[in-house]
Amino acid sequence: MSADILRFALAYAQIALILALALACWRMLRGPRAQDRVLGLDTMYINAMLLFLVIGMGNGNVFFFEGALVIAVLGFVTTVSAAKFLMRGEVIE
Amino acid sequence: MEIILALAIGVLVGSGVWLMLRPRSYQVIVGLCLLAYGVNLFIFAMGRLYIGAAPIMPKGGFVDPTAYADPLPQSLVLTAIVISFATTALFLVVMIAARGATGTDHVDGKERGRDE
Amino acid sequence: MVAQNLLLLLVLAPFVSAALAATLPIGARNGECWLAGLTMVLALVVLGVLYPDVAEGGRVIARVDWIDSVGLELAFRIDGFSWLFMVLVAGIGFLVILYARYYMSPEDSAARLYACLLAFAGAMSGLILSGNIIMLVVFWELTSLVSFLLIGYWYHRQDARDGARMSLIVTASGGLCLLVAMILIGQIAGSYDLETVLISGPQITGHKLYPVALILFVLGAFTKSAQFPFHFWLPNAMAAPTPVSAYLHSATMVKAGVFVLLRFHPALGGTVEWFQIVTGIGLATMLLGAVIALFKHDLKGLLAYSTISHLGLITALAGIGTPLALIAAVFHIVNHAVFKASLFMAAGIIDHETGTRDMRRLSGLARVMPITATLAIIASGAMAGVPLLNGFLSKEMFFEATYVWNNGSPLDNAAPYIAVLAASFSTAYSLRFIVKVFFGPPATDLPRHPHEPPLLMRLPVAVLVAICVSIGLFPQFVLGNLLETAGLALIGPDLPHFSLKIWHGVNAPLIMSLIAMGLGIMIYCLPRRTINSGEDGTRLMRKLDIARIYERAMRVLTQRLPRAALRILSANGLQAQLRAVVLLTLAAGWFALRHLDWNVPLPEMRSRELVFALLWIVGGACAIGAAWQAKYHRFAALILMGGAGLVTCATFVWLSAPDLAVTQLLVEIATTTLLLLGLRWLPKRDEEIAGDRNLPARIRRFRDLLIALTCGAGMTAMALAVLLTTPGASVGDWFLRNAYVEGGGTNVVNVILVDFRAFDTFGEITVLAVVGLTVYALLRRFRAAPESTERPRPQLDAEEQALEAYLFVPAVLMQWMFAPIITLSAYLFFRGHDLPGGGFAAGVTLAVAILLQYVAANVRWVEARLTVLPIRWMATGLTVAAAVGAGSWLFGYPFLTAHAQYLDLPVIGKVPFSTAMLFDFGVFALVLGAIVLMLIAIAHQSLRVAPRPRRPASKEAN
Amino acid sequence: MNDALSPDHLIIAPILIPLVAGAIMLFYNDQNRQTKLMMGLAAVALTFIASLELVADVKSVTEQGGTVVGLYPLGNWPVPIGIVLVLDRLSVMMVMLTALLAGPSLIYAAAGWHGKGQHYHSMFQFLLAGVNGAFLTGDLFNLFVFFEVMLAASYGLMLHGSGPERIRAGLHYIAINLAASLLFLIGVALIYGTTGTLNMADIGRALYWLDGTDRLLFHAAAGFLGLAFLIKAAVWPLCFWLPPTYAAASPPAAAIMAIMTKVGIYVILRLSLLVLGPDAGPSAGFGAPALMIAGVLTMAFGMIGILGTPELARKGGYLAIISSGTVLAAIGFAQAGGGPMMLGGALYYMVGSTAAISAFFLIAEPVSRGDQGSDTAQTPETEPDPLSESWAPMGLDTVEDVATPASTRTVSWLTMAVCFGLVAAMLAGLPPLPGFIGKFAILRGAVEDNLSHTGALPAILWVYAAMLILSGLGALIALMRFGIRRFWAEAGPTPRILALEVVPAVILLAMIALQTLRADALLSYTRATAVALLEPATYRDAVLKNAQDVRAAPVVNLAPEQPGNEVEVDP
Amino acid sequence: MIGRVIPHPVLSAALVLMWLCLTAFSLGHLLLGTLISLVAGWAVNYLHPPRPRFRRWSAIPQLAGIVLIDIIRSNIAVARILTLGPDHPSYHSGFIELHLRLRDPNAIAVLAIILNGTPGTAWLEYEHQDGRLLLHVLDLRSDADWQSLIRDRYETLLMEIFE
Amino acid sequence: MRHLETLPPWAAILIAVFVMIGATMTLLGGLGIVRLKGYYQRLHAPTLGYSGGTGLIILASMLMFSLLEGRWIVHELMIGTFIMITSPITLLMLGRAALRRDRDAKLGHDEIVPPMLRAPVMPQPDEASATAPAPAAAPPDRPHR
Ligand code: NA
Ligand code: NA
């Protein structure tokens, strides 16, 4: 019973998150401006992180926690670099 | 699952090859990165696909190896990731150095049809 | 034993002397002359001592080991024939050395000349004395090489260089043909030993490969002895100093060709092919050489063509191959060597004294240098075949051979006529030489005033002419025994009796001789004015100048054609090269898998497949998008590529590879930042690239698209093919079973990396180190393109604020993250062995922490506060990894043997400890150093190219 | 040779000595170039001594009847679990050759080139480590790793000194090699996917059991690997990168990179005979025709190239291509059953020609110096140094690169001319130099082992023999043309050449001379090597002697019974 | 002395907590975590960042509660807006400019986190010299409303904590 | 997925609800990022995933693993904490970058944005443009789209 509920919930969550990922990707592909793409990528990162957590819950193990943690702690670096590039024309000055 | 991953590898490799054959060094570097993704997935696929069976073992005991993902391709991919990162960095630097030295970002250091 | 050693001495002595000669001072002419002369005398003495051994068909064989395993032994063998030849080499060599002492001017390097002459004598001796047919080729090629140096002696002259080049190419190529021929012959005969080969005649001539071997063999012989159509190099080689010409083109170099023809006659001769080829070419050469010689104005040119003609005569005799013909050939070899050497020397004296060799300018020299003239006239008589001189006798024998021998072929029938015709031309040019140079009115426009040369310079000529006369008068006495000895060696005990007599009665050869002489005088007299006044040769001859044809052919074959072919066959552009790689890969894949049986089941579509498919619709879109945008929208392509990387990463998570996910993520971050750092240095892509939309460009893109699609499809097919097979037992299974028990960790992937296959990791970090160093070294010399040197526009814009204003809040937050990221790095490091993580992940994480500080502030700000010493970290990392690996030696185990143990610490309890962790620390240190080095090296470029004003640190520190 | 408990640590010395030397050099600032040079020379000398000792070992072992092998199980893991280094006649010969080439190159670099950029000596040592690793490893993926070490170092050395020409050539070189590396990876992956192992000997064993799809996939893998190695070995049409790269590289770098094409050849030799050799069942001889044809075409292309290119250093590249083609074709013949004689000759030829090509690159630059007749590859070193920053951030030393030209005083133009002539004669295959001996041994083997009793020789062998002769002739003509122009025709002042630039060429020539004098010993060695290579079963048996059964369960069960710890799997 | 060994006590404590959360609450990990946090603290000290001074710890939970509630409320509000679609007339978004009294960089950073973490408000630009802030608000009601909202709900508390 | 069966039903329902709402919030954020018209509006959309989505899913995960392991599993809190800190950084940077680009006349205006907040001490535009290099010298930029 509880397994069925959870299985459904997790499957739903996976589909929802992957759809969210796809939507973010659509924005990334579509643009129209460079900042839109970066925003899309950043959103994809977070969605992927949540997906990792949900997959981990489905598997019942914590092996993907590190992946999620790395996104949480370091995922922003890409975005920050990209944004700084847009803002200043170079990443490190 | 298998067919999706195979198609994914195909798309990555196809895009990578197309870019690798382009004339701008930046295209080539993006192509090499995409190719690296595709090849890494390919190596990974050689261990066959397992879901929910990460090769992290219980402490000791007899285990059934068919119930876990093959760890060896994973370790090969890890090495390959690192090496492709290194070579990407190198190629990048050579690319910008070439642009500085030749004035163009064409892979041959000169625009097509223009002699030195 | 003594004889063997003497034989070896015969070969070795000239080489040793050559080495000595090369070390003498450049100007030591007398010393050189003594050294060389004594060497030759020594050789003659040795030959004299050896004569009893070779008389009566005897032989001496000496062997020195060299490369026995492939049949290359330094075997030397002397018999009557080679003995006679050696006497020529040493005897004429001695005279040439004496002559050269006076001929060469003090400015010429005596050391080089004598060293080369001696080396040449050694090579020639080796060739003649070789008892191994491959060694014969070795010395053969050595003669070509040394003659190259000799002909090019006056290398400041264009003609010397051209002549040297031409002779080397022609004769060395022939030598290579000879090599293959010898290999085939040796194979057929079963040995490279000359003795064996010489008795394997029937075996060789009956073999299927005989024609091939024969053709290759005669190619070698003909190129060397300047047979038509390879004769052209010889006249060009006349650019050599006269002593060299006298030596090379009378007794040695060119005679090597006829030497091997005669030597190998028992093995290869006696067949129709042999006769047709050898005699045919010989007669043709004889005639052609004689005709051209008549038209030459250069004394040495005349002698050169005469040499060609006489070599043709000997070749023709070798082709006929009857015992008497062979005897005649040997006889003529000796005679020609003697009179031609003297003539060359005489020509050299004339050149030396008058300053010219042009017969149109020379005249009446008999009056000013009577002795030389007398000698030259006698020698010319020998060349023309005048009775009572040695040339007459061998020419008679030649006529007899052509006349008597009959195998009924057209060539055989024509031979006597050709012989007579050629002989008449021979008479004609000899006559012209004598008359034009020594008689007539005294010359008026000579560069120098001629008089008799020094006695010692004339002496060699006199000696040779004396030999000519003595052979001509007393042939049997002077040469009979020696010829018989040589004949015994060549033909064996079947040698028919012969005697050398001046008078055989009125017979066909005598009549042929008389006709030839008469005809020769007529030929000389009729067109003599045209000959003397005109250019070299007739118009036809000039048109058919093979040397020019050769030169043109060489220019086309070795310069223009290769250049054109290189353009067609090679690709300089990277695209074409990569396309070749890709196409060949496709071809290889297709070739290997063309019979693959495709049986792909339809995929099921459950929710998990749906999710995965959606994931890869995203990933594929990103990849294709990146490919689409990379040309004009680099930034977009980079971001899209990041998307594809993220999806790859999610795939690793999905498919149970947590370590890969973590590493891929970290590398993704580092790569994207690196590429962003690089973007600044690429040109602005603000307009359409020229010609990007025209048809050829479209076609190129379409073609590449097809290639790319095929590659993608191929990879899909291969991946699927593997995925649909069930795996057998693999090493991976063993790792799963044993990682914890044997490796002491539960994260099998990490245990593999730091223990089972730690050596891979060791190599991998070395790669990272090297790349870091390379990046650093390359950027040390980085030069930006002019338009990239100024600061990017956003920073220059008047409206813009300073960086600190922009990043006031984010910078604070990014600095906040510094410590947590360090902690995360430690976390990843310590977890590695049991759960995802490890030294690599930790290293990248820490590098990103440092990078972030650079992004948050600027280079100067960070470096005023933080010193990382990346190269030191790299060195430490590598050294630690190596030291940990080597630590196992202390316990007698191989490199990188890991040791894991639980340490029982007082308060904390059991703590796992493994040497693998120390190794992982090495990895960590190196990765940190390398990545920081790369990032910083790129980041520094902005500063280097466009130095910024320093801002007061207090303001930043707040 | 030793029992499993005390392995012969010397086997790993050729990898570790340069690697550690390179690492320790990094502790020093690049100002201490002389120190680094001394360390480098010491490392090379030690490596050479180690290789001498190893050769002695191998010879004593093989003289007692064995054909292989020293095994060095890294981490003490048995085959095929861990990585194993395998010492046999071939690998130790290549290791020794590497050490022999390294010394002269290093001395030459000391003439000034090592000062034209950063960390030359470390990268040089890493290159040696990579090359030796590639020669010694018995594991396919480890081979990839060492290939990458070698390539990464070669990128660094190739770009050493920078300048537009080098960078432009370097971009191509790197791009092509990255593509090759990807191919390599695909091949390795496919091999693991089909055979489940990475140990070369074990792959050969596993191949026996493959059927159907697996075998076809294995063939595809072999094809991809082959292509990857052929790119490195510079076979036509995958060799266009080589001449510009080697010409643009600094001479000492090019001289040591001469060994790199041979690494590709080594691997092809090793794998094609070990895995796809005569006893490989349905896979026997797979790829052999391709090797033969490609080899012959490569020789032809090299000949065209050497004649068609005006620049001397590029000619050196084409010489390397000819040398590659010659050996590759011989490997193809050997794989197809052409007999050990030819292969033995080819190996001998490879040793000699590699040394000569190395010498050629060392000679090419000094003799082309100041040459007006052809385009000089060298970038002007007089440009102002671009570095304007004078502070030392992050501990990165800012030693200014040496800006003076490499040479300051003349020693001997004549010596160079003589060296050039000898090297040219050697490469043209003129007797009595090893080029001739090698070609002769090949030809003799070709005829002796392949001539049928009817007297027929396969057409491809005829073509090969013709190319063997013609390529030498082409080299002769091209080099003679250059030599005559440069040393004879051009009067005027001769360039200044340092003693340090002459000495390495002389050393290499001395090696060549020694190889001529002791040709019998070396040829016997290479012949025996060829015989051993053609008996892959012996190698396999030796490597797999103490192999671990991968199905084995752990000996002890240490499981602390923890129900919560058990991982449950949803298949 | 303590200041030199533990230059950033609050930070180090937080790191120890982080370490324990990530690993396990055991003595061994406490020791290891402490060691690592000390090392991290030293590393941070090299950057000499503006050191936060916490004047009123007690206000922190209060602020956290407020923020939590606001985030939940905003989440619901924004979710509603997003379901409405882009052109729905019931909301309109726009820029607003505010004035901040906060001067402490750390406090401002916390405020930035709060405003950005709360759906519906985005911190765009801040001028430190005169404390002006440009926000973008998804559902804009009135300018004054926002100015006072932020001042009352967050800024005051933040100033109590940090200044 | 046998571990799921060991959970009590209340927990299962709670976890399911958390996970589903969290995922839905994230999906809504995704929808917003696609559907909203202006960039600054879109900037708000992912916040839903950053805050609501992350929070709920973390809670669900902590609950689930704590129950499964029978002890407190709190490491997911770290994810939440760091998302709290880092997502504002990205939004700050992105918002600021977008503002600069929208104000940049050469890149073209997609959206009307307020003028720069300028501190009184900042140089006046006129002076600044006089000291800045001539715009003609710099090649025209093109937006990185
Ligand atoms: Na498995
Ligand atoms: Na917000």
Side-chain angles (χ1 to χ4, degrees), chain F residues 60-82:
Chain F
S61 175
M62 282 192 339
L63 187 56
M64 178 164 157
F65 285 107
S66 297
L67 287 171
L68 281 177
E69 307 255 324
R71 62 190 173 97
W72 286 104
I73 301 283
V74 288
H75 61 199
E76 283 90 343
L77 272 181
M78 287 299 112
I79 291 181
T81 311
F82 286 116

Side-chain angles (χ1 to χ4, degrees), chain C residues 559-579:
Chain C
Q559 281 179 307
R560 283 197 208 141
L561 209 61
R563 226 167 271 176
L566 195 61
R567 263 201 303 279
I568 296 165
L569 292 176
S570 74
N572 291 323
L574 179 65
Q575 289 169 275
Q577 298 187 38
L578 287 172
R579 202 175 292 125

Side-chain angles (χ1 to χ4, degrees), chain C residues 243-562:
Chain C
V244 171
S245 305
Y247 196 41
L248 265 56
H249 306 140
S250 67
T252 53
M253 168 103 160
V254 294
K255 289 286 165 61
V258 290
F259 170 80
V260 294
L261 281 177
L262 292 172
R263 180 92 272 181
F264 283 82
H265 181 266
L268 295 169
T271 62
V272 180
E273 295 96 323
W274 173 272
F275 169 72
Q276 295 285 1
I277 295 172
V278 178
T279 307
I281 293 292
L283 286 175
T285 309
M286 182 186 173
L287 182 60
L288 187 83
V291 172
I292 298 176
L294 179 60
F295 291 91
K296 282 285 160 190
H297 300 305
D298 179 9
L299 277 183
K300 283 179 78 177
L302 183 146
L303 292 176
Y305 278 100
S306 154
T307 304
I308 291 169
S309 173
H310 282 273
L311 288 166
L313 186 156
I314 302 167
T315 303
L317 280 170
I320 291 168
T322 57
L324 284 178
L326 295 181
I327 295 290
V330 177
F331 192 23
H332 198 71
I333 285 174
V334 176
N335 292 336
H336 176 256
V338 173
F339 67 67
K340 195 51 65 66
S342 66
L343 279 172
F344 269 119
M345 290 182 196
I349 290 172
I350 293 166
D351 188 12
H352 198 254
E353 294 300 321
T354 64
T356 180
R357 299 192 313 243
D358 190 339
M359 289 206 296
R360 284 167 296 188
R361 296 168 77 186
L362 294 168
S363 182
L365 286 184
R367 253 168 271 178
V368 284
M369 35 202 304
I371 303 172
T372 307
T374 314
L375 294 173
I377 289 166
I378 298 172
S380 307
M383 175 164 76
V386 173
L388 301 184
L389 294 170
N390 59 353
F392 171 73
L393 295 170
S394 46
K395 193 174 279 183
E396 288 275 276
M397 288 171 80
F398 167 64
F399 284 149
E400 190 176 358
T402 57
Y403 175 75
V404 170
W405 194 67
N406 199 327
N407 66 1
S409 65
L411 177 62
D412 178 56
N413 293 336
Y417 304 99
I418 299 171
V420 170
L421 190 61
S424 59
F425 272 97
S426 178
T427 311
Y429 66 68
S430 305
L431 199 57
R432 177 167 173 245
F433 174 60
I434 295 165
V435 173
K436 187 71 197 65
V437 174
F438 297 107
F439 299 102
T444 49
D445 63 339
L446 294 178
R448 265 179 244 149
H449 184 67
H451 45 72
E452 283 287 352
L455 177 68
L456 280 174
M457 188 172 183
R458 225 166 43 204
L459 183 68
V461 189
V463 171
L464 289 167
V465 168
I467 296 171
C468 281
V469 175
S470 54
I471 294 176
L473 293 174
F474 316 105
Q476 185 64 28
F477 173 73
V478 178
L479 218 52
N481 285 334
L482 302 184
L483 267 187
E484 191 168 338
T485 311
L488 268 174
L490 267 185
I491 298 148
D494 303 339
L495 180 71
H497 177 74
F498 69 94
S499 78
L500 302 174
K501 279 187 292 185
I502 302 172
W503 181 249
H504 290 273
V506 180
N507 54 6
L510 184 66
I511 294 167
M512 286 164 82
S513 274
L514 292 175
I515 293 173
M517 260 187 263
L519 203 58
I521 293 166
M522 272 166 60
I523 291 171
Y524 170 67
C525 291
L526 290 178
R528 82 186 252 200
R529 300 224 169 264
T530 35
I531 294 170
N532 280 345
S533 60
E535 294 173 59
D536 267 8
T538 62
R539 191 176 300 163
L540 180 70
M541 256 180 239
R542 282 197 299 278
K543 270 208 169 150
L544 280 179
D545 185 357
I546 297 193
R548 203 178 304 158
I549 295 169
Y550 162 85
E551 280 290 350
R552 202 168 296 158
M554 283 301 277
R555 205 169 303 136
V556 171
L557 282 177
T558 69
Q559 281 179 307
R560 283 197 208 141
L561 209 61

